[in-house]
Amino acid sequence: MNNQTQLRPNVPPWAHTPAQTDIERVNSEERDAIWDEHIRLRSQLFQEHPLDYLFLEVTRACNLSCAYCGSTCGLKRQSEELTASEFIDVLRQIAKDFSAPDIMVAVTGGEPLTKPGIFDLFRELQRLSFPYGMVSNGWLLTEEVARKVVELGMASITLSMDAPPPLNDRLRGEGTSQAVFKAVESLHNAGFQGKLEIFSTITKPAIPLLDQTRAIVSAMRVPFWRVSPVMPLGRAARRADLLPGPAEIRQIYEFVLAARADEYTPAPETCEEGYLGNRFEGNVRPYLCQCRAGVSIAGILCDGRIGACPELSDSFVQGHIREDRFSDVWRDRYQVFRDRSWMRKGQCGNCEQFRRCEGGSVHLYENTQSDPHRCLYLLAKEGGG
């Protein structure tokens, strides 16, 4: 899976702030009331933990080798990967134990369209009444494939494109920009009516080109655009030239803040990672900070391990689908996600914003003993001068 490339989680009603709430400008009493209600409802969700989102990482095989990839994706499938038939059996089991129409299934990879039997999997998702979507690099999303996903009722597609060509091609591989252009055209031609989104992992050289990238997304008639600063993981951790510093992090959020206030489409939004401070919370994304991994979001990795988001480290795996019934794992485990007191240590333990942030997203941690890889709040604050 590419660094932080994923379908947008369903945002529950409790997570929404009033439309474009400018928390920076309301008085302190109103601001505290907004946060108190958000924290109360977030705590309630942690206690009730209703499953409403499921990642299926169907393969680690990928036809690309992006410069910043944070995973072990490669040209070959891992030897222990579940077959499409095994994933179908898992879905049938989950449909028996839960209400399928209430669970959004995000099919990810690697590149899902390289998975043998992937259309059988899509067909079964449709038959079982799961709403579902896919993350793809677009390379294999031909006219024929576009017609198939429309026929099979796919509800959401996220395509990865990080910058205008030629930078996008330098980061992701020669021809990747054209592949996305063709994939979007194919989906339009096929009459795709679901949620269509471009996800951009923002590296340092892409920041001066954000306006150009937005114009390209608009010209493609893609209504949703999500941006996220590249994580210092995997290949990106070895590429200092790609990693934004505090000033660049701040620049990304200032761009999104301004772009969401104008009338141009698409209005970008940022990912759900961590607390961002009063200036950006409620404005650069349509909800306040949250991480629902293991709370209302689960995941099944390509080899059958049961976890939450595919981006999490192996230390957060909760079971294995060949040994455990998924519903039992969801009910009886995941305590590490639902009680995050372990995050309150070191720099986070002394932070005055911890009550709002609660340590940020779980994907920031290697394990419960580690410090987070980064804090976007502190980076953006430092970058503001």
Side-chain angles (χ1 to χ4, degrees), residues 176-283:
T176 52
S177 300
Q178 190 63 31
V180 172
F181 298 152
K182 288 182 176 179
V184 171
E185 183 180 9
S186 295
L187 289 167
H188 287 322
N189 291 341
F192 180 72
Q193 297 297 310
K195 180 179 288 184
L196 182 58
E197 176 186 60
I198 295 293
F199 185 97
S200 299
T201 298
I202 306 302
T203 56
K204 188 173 182 178
I207 295 172
L209 306 175
L210 284 167
D211 274 318
Q212 293 180 40
T213 307
R214 188 187 189 194
I216 290 171
V217 177
S218 179
M220 287 192 289
R221 294 180 292 130
V222 175
F224 297 99
W225 181 37
R226 193 154 42 108
V227 302
S228 177
V230 65
M231 280 285 290
L233 299 174
R235 296 173 195 147
R238 302 187 293 272
R239 293 288 304 272
D241 59 312
L242 299 182
L243 297 177
E248 290 87 11
I249 293 290
R250 180 78 179 205
Q251 187 177 349
I252 293 169
Y253 289 117
E254 292 289 358
F255 166 81
V256 175
L257 185 67
R260 287 180 66 80
D262 65 28
E263 297 181 354
Y264 193 70
T265 300
E269 69 177 70
T270 61
C271 68
E272 61 278 3
E273 181 189 323
Y275 175 72
L276 300 176
N278 289 328
R279 179 164 177 77
F280 301 118
E281 284 291 343
N283 288 325

Side-chain angles (χ1 to χ4, degrees), residues 1-7 68 108 135 158 160 199 201 311:
M1 187 177 193
N2 291 331
N3 196 312
Q4 285 197 288
T5 303
Q6 61 184 44
L7 290 172
Y68 55 76
T108 71
V135 177
T158 295
S160 304
F199 185 97
T201 298
E311 295 169 354

Side-chain angles (χ1 to χ4, degrees), residues 8-167:
R8 65 179 61 226
N10 292 335
V11 180
W14 66 266
H16 283 268
T17 57
Q20 206 66 4
T21 298
D22 195 338
I23 292 180
E24 183 184 33
R25 295 173 189 255
V26 299
N27 64 46
S28 59
E29 185 176 339
E30 291 175 300
R31 183 188 305 160
D32 289 344
I34 290 171
W35 278 107
D36 286 347
E37 180 65 3
H38 175 76
I39 291 166
R40 183 187 71 81
L41 292 171
R42 185 172 64 189
S43 176
Q44 181 179 328
L45 188 81
F46 274 48
Q47 293 173 19
E48 296 175 354
H49 48 81
L51 179 66
D52 64 20
Y53 203 90
L54 177 68
F55 283 102
L56 288 188
E57 182 198 60
V58 295
T59 185
R60 288 280 177 90
C62 185
N63 53 313
L64 302 181
S65 183
C66 300
Y68 55 76
C69 186
S71 77
T72 57
C73 294
L75 294 176
K76 295 182 179 179
R77 291 189 299 277
Q78 295 193 359
S79 58
E80 297 299 320
E81 286 188 3
L82 300 184
T83 64
S85 294
E86 287 177 297
F87 274 111
I88 287 171
D89 289 342
V90 172
L91 289 169
R92 289 171 178 168
Q93 179 195 113
I94 293 173
K96 288 181 180 178
D97 296 342
F98 297 86
S99 172
D102 295 331
I103 302 172
M104 177 68 184
V105 176
V107 182
T108 71
E111 171 50 51
L113 293 176
T114 67
K115 181 73 174 180
I118 191 63
F119 293 104
D120 294 332
L121 178 64
F122 293 160
R123 189 171 292 106
E124 189 66 10
L125 282 163
Q126 181 187 41
R127 188 189 74 80
L128 293 170
S129 299
F130 284 103
Y132 75 101
M134 171 181 67
V135 177
S136 174
N137 59 43
W139 200 277
L140 303 176
L141 217 166
T142 62
E143 295 275 356
E144 180 183 1
V145 170
R147 287 192 295 270
K148 283 185 178 180
V149 299
V150 169
E151 176 189 334
L152 295 174
M154 187 173 288
S156 180
I157 296 177
T158 295
L159 297 172
S160 304
M161 182 174 171
D162 304 326
L167 177 58

